[in-house]
Structure formats: C-alpha cells, structure tokens
Amino acid sequence: MQNKKVIIIGGGAGGFFAAINIKEKNPNYHVTILEQTNTLLKKVKISGGGRCNVTHSCFEPEKLTKNYPRGEKELLGAFYQFQPKDMIMWLKKRGVKTKTEADGRMFPVSDDSQTIIDCFLREAKKLNIQIKTGFPVEKLIPPIEENHNKWQVQIKNKPNLEADAIVMATGSQPKSWKMLTTLGHSISNPVPSLFTMTIKNDSRLKDMAGVSVNNGTVWAKDTKLSDENGAVLVTHWGLSAPAVLRLSAWGARELADKNYNFQMGVNWIDEKPKNALKTLKFHREEWRKKQIGTLSPFEIPNRLWKKLVEASNIDLTTNWASLSNKELESLSNELTQGEFQVVGKSTYKDEFVTCGGISLSEVDFKTMESKILPNLYFTGEVLDIDAITGGFNFQAAWTTAWIVSQNI
C-alpha cells in the first residue's frame, strides 16, 4: 500500500525513532505522532542527569541481554537486528557524535540531551512527519469492528483518525495498558524498577549523605536474588548508586511483594569476612600505637570507617594494640556483613522505570507486531521489558522501534 497511514501513539524515544525510520524507508507513507501532553521526548531530556545516556558500549547481543531482568530471552534475536553499534552509527550519520565513559555508558559528545532531541525533531521535520501534541487517545477500534477496513483512533474532543497501522509507544502508562486489555492483550503486573532504598534512623548513616564506596556489594536477605556489586552511595534517605539500583531492578517483583520492607546486607569493602579479619589483625601488629579512628586499612572514606568502628562498640581513641579478637571480628562483620532495615523505596532522580507491561508472549519479536491483532505494533516500555541503569532501557526502545520500522 503506497500511501499507508501510520499513527504512532506516544511522542517519546521509541515513538520518534519508529516514526523517523518508517518514513525514511517509506517516503510515501503518512506518518503521524500523537502525544497526549504538550511535551515531547521528556525522558530523553532528563536521562543521564540531562546528558542523555543514549546507549551502552556492550556490542555482543548475548552479553547485552544479561542487563534485562525482563526481556532477556526475547531481545536476543532483536539485538542481532539492531544493537548499540547500529545506534551509534545512526546518530553519527546525522551529525551526532557519541563518547563512551569508563563504565560503558554512552553519551553525546555535547553532554547535553538537547542534542538528541534536536536531532530527532530535525529529522522528523525534514521527513514531513506530522506531530500532534495535546492529543490524548481515548480508544482504539480495530479494523475488524464496525465494518472498518482501517484502525479508528478516538481522540478526546476531536474527530476520529484513521490508520492502516498503529504503533504503541506510550511507555509505562496505565491508561494505555487498560485500553490494550480491552483489545484482548494482557498486562504483566506493573511495579516500579530502578529505585533507591529508604533506611530510617540508622546511626551508621546519620549525617553521611554523599559518602560512597566504589566497590561494594549489596543483597536482599531471605530472597533468591543474587548479590550485586558496584558503587554504593549514602543519601539523605538511605542508600543508592549502581549496586543498589541493580538489586532493585532484578528484585522489582519480589521486593514489591515484601512491600519494600526487608533486611539489606552491605559489604562496604567487597572482601570476604575472613580476609577482612586477617587484614585487621595484620594492622593490629603494624599500627600498634595508632588510634583506630585515625585511618582505615581499607579503601573506604574515613568518615564511614569511623561510623563502622563505633557501630562495632569500639572507641575511636582505642589503640590498635588494645583491640581484642572479638572486637576485630565485630568490626569485620560490620565491614562485610552489615544489615540495614529497608522501610521503603524512593525514585531514582527523575528516571523512573516500570517492570511490567504487555505480555511478551503476545508479541512477535521478529516484527514487533501483536499476535492478537494485525497491524498493531509495540515499542519500548509499553512492553514488559526493563533493564538496569546504564543506557539499556533506551537501547531496548531503539531496537524495538527499528524492528517496527522495517516491518510495518
């Protein structure tokens, strides 16, 4: 069909990327983006602290999928179609250069998310893609109903629009999910992912906001979740940084079931307790006359060291030589097996991610088309796909949008 009408619902990352690539591949198609708010590409704007963590420098599909608590299996074939390397090339061809940081996260060289937004808006304008803001979709009527041979899109207080194909790029929006359930799709129970842990009234963390370790390990007690390694940061409300965020992503459903009330273990030095104890005993001999509060033998901030010493019921003015084996064992446990009572969660900056969405078994990942209704496609977070922090959520949006564009 030469003049196919395609309506994309949602003016975010996946919506724009799908629209641009559909129109490039099929210049005669009429492509329209409908956005219910007056703001386009909102998540792109705030991602990476306003720098836009556009993707990650993991170029092997098998390794790449390991960053997705939900969607790992389904995305493997998808990443063979379009992966981070392809996204970098796509941006480069349109004048946007990227750079890689030490942890693999990739950003535009400008360190400004507006660079990505401007690129998308420029491409959309060049390709004559229609963008309609303030267009909340109320209902989708499939071609099989009411003798229509096209999709009918019902807009609040506006005439219906017609389309040959619909692309759902609405993100984690309950209203859209509800609309899709009326069409026969099912939703995997949505719960938050990528959140920080709230810990109240713990003397070890009091007045410690901003203190961090680069190489800690965290875990959730009495769960089947794996330990997560990486930076751990003390905040005004509890604990954050990559290790904590990864735990929240992999544990999204299990921790929701616990109502975010559980014991979290923290190993501040990423050492086994027996090795930590060995180091402490060695320094008892080496630093005999020094006070224990003066200096830490481990790579952790001294403020944190002092708090953990005090939490082990050791006076900071005690000389190393005076420390008993029992005191050193207590300190070793505090360093490597600290337990903190989590009493809730907090949103990570403005970057919220939802675990849940359209059940993946109802989507053909070779085309991103619904298995239930023809000419209905999905991209991004409307699906039950989510990732750990680091540019992976955007990559899932780029990949699924690309596949839509090649198949619509």
Side-chain angles (χ1 to χ4, degrees):
M1 193 181 295
Q2 208 180 17
N3 297 318
K4 205 172 194 176
K5 282 186 180 174
V6 181
I7 287 180
I8 290 155
I9 304 171
F16 263 85
F17 201 63
I20 292 164
N21 286 295
I22 290 166
K23 188 72 173 172
E24 273 191 344
K25 194 171 167 66
N26 310 282
N28 294 325
Y29 283 15
H30 297 284
V31 179
T32 305
I33 295 172
L34 303 181
E35 168 56 44
Q36 68 167 354
T37 69
N38 292 313
T39 311
L40 299 166
L41 298 159
K42 187 180 173 185
K43 270 199 179 180
V44 174
K45 182 75 178 166
I46 61 175
S47 157
R51 296 194 297 143
C52 189
N53 182 188
V54 74
T55 188
H56 195 282
S57 64
C58 181
F59 303 138
E60 294 174 38
E62 284 88 354
K63 280 188 182 174
L64 189 56
T65 60
K66 300 297 179 200
N67 297 288
Y68 294 83
R70 274 121 330 242
E72 178 186 342
K73 181 165 64 78
E74 291 80 6
L75 284 170
L76 180 59
F79 286 145
Y80 274 107
Q81 288 195 56
F82 192 88
Q83 58 129 303
K85 205 176 276 184
D86 301 306
M87 187 60 193
I88 295 154
M89 286 305 299
W90 191 95
L91 289 167
K92 192 179 177 184
K93 279 181 189 170
R94 289 154 186 83
V96 178
K97 290 179 181 173
T98 52
K99 60 176 182 176
T100 308
E101 305 217 327
D103 59 3
R105 291 182 304 156
M106 299 195 73
F107 295 87
V109 167
S110 66
D111 271 334
D112 187 355
S113 58
Q114 196 60 43
T115 306
I116 306 296
I117 293 170
D118 291 345
C119 170
F120 285 177
L121 293 175
R122 192 169 57 243
E123 292 297 310
K125 188 178 180 183
K126 188 170 82 182
L127 294 163
N128 203 22
I129 292 165
Q130 276 200 302
I131 301 166
K132 296 178 184 287
T133 55
F135 266 67
V137 175
E138 296 284 283
K139 191 180 178 186
L140 291 174
I141 304 162
I144 49 177
E145 285 182 29
E146 299 178 21
N147 300 318
H148 292 297
N149 58 359
K150 292 180 187 288
W151 280 88
Q152 300 288 308
V153 183
Q154 212 173 82
I155 315 289
K156 193 176 184 179
N157 303 327
K158 289 182 175 71
N160 283 10
L161 298 175
E162 279 192 343
D164 297 289
I166 301 284
V167 181
M168 294 300 293
T170 46
S172 49
Q173 205 185 84
K175 186 180 140 194
S176 298
W177 284 332
K178 194 174 178 185
M179 191 163 61
L180 289 163
T181 57
T182 64
L183 296 173
H185 272 286
S186 51
I187 308 296
S188 297
N189 179 37
V191 295
S193 179
L194 283 192
F195 49 85
T196 62
M197 307 302 179
T198 303
I199 297 161
K200 290 181 177 172
N201 305 321
D202 194 304
S203 61
R204 293 166 292 182
L205 305 182
K206 193 174 186 295
D207 302 323
M208 296 289 283
V211 169
S212 67
V213 298
N214 290 328
N215 203 24
T217 305
V218 298
W219 59 93
K221 282 193 75 184
D222 303 321
T223 69
K224 292 175 182 173
L225 299 171
S226 299
D227 297 358
E228 295 296 337
N229 178 264
V232 180
L233 168 73
V234 182
T235 67
H236 289 290
W237 59 87
L239 293 173
S240 182
V244 174
L245 294 170
R246 279 199 289 273
L247 185 67
S248 79
W250 290 102
R253 289 220 160 91
E254 201 167 340
L255 299 181
D257 289 344
K258 289 179 176 288
N259 201 24
Y260 310 106
N261 218 296
F262 64 98
Q263 288 273 324
M264 185 166 83
V266 181
N267 183 334
W268 297 100
I269 58 174
D270 195 32
E271 285 276 3
K272 288 180 177 169
K274 64 176 184 182
N275 293 343
L277 184 58
K278 198 174 172 183
T279 301
L280 291 171
K281 284 180 176 177
F282 171 80
H283 282 87
R284 181 171 60 184
E285 298 304 316
E286 288 289 302
W287 295 351
R288 295 180 64 78
K289 293 178 182 177
K290 286 184 182 176
Q291 292 182 354
I292 190 165
T294 313
L295 189 65
S296 165
F298 302 99
E299 284 187 26
I300 60 171
N302 219 42
R303 281 171 65 200
L304 178 62
W305 167 252
K306 287 177 178 178
K307 286 278 189 181
L308 298 178
V309 169
E310 287 176 328
S312 309
N313 294 315
I314 300 170
D315 191 290
L316 293 172
T317 60
T318 307
N319 286 348
W320 278 87
S322 308
L323 295 166
S324 67
N325 283 345
K326 195 175 179 184
E327 285 173 317
L328 291 185
E329 272 175 38
S330 174
L331 180 52
S332 166
N333 287 337
E334 200 58 66
L335 286 158
T336 62
Q337 300 175 87
E339 290 185 2
F340 295 82
Q341 181 61 47
V342 175
V343 293
K345 60 170 179 56
S346 306
T347 304
Y348 174 57
K349 298 181 181 174
D350 291 319
E351 299 177 43
F352 55 92
V353 170
T354 302
C355 149
I358 295 294
S359 293
L360 303 185
S361 60
E362 298 171 359
V363 180
D364 181 349
F365 270 75
K366 288 190 176 76
T367 60
M368 299 314 301
E369 188 176 14
S370 163
K371 290 179 182 178
I372 291 167
L373 289 161
N375 296 313
L376 175 63
Y377 295 82
F378 302 101
T379 173
E381 225 187 307
V382 69
L383 295 155
D384 185 18
I385 289 176
D386 64 284
I388 63 172
T389 183
F392 301 107
N393 283 297
F394 269 148
Q395 187 56 52
W398 312 138
T399 294
T400 50
W402 171 264
I403 293 170
V404 166
S405 74
Q406 300 307 293
N407 291 282
I408 208 156

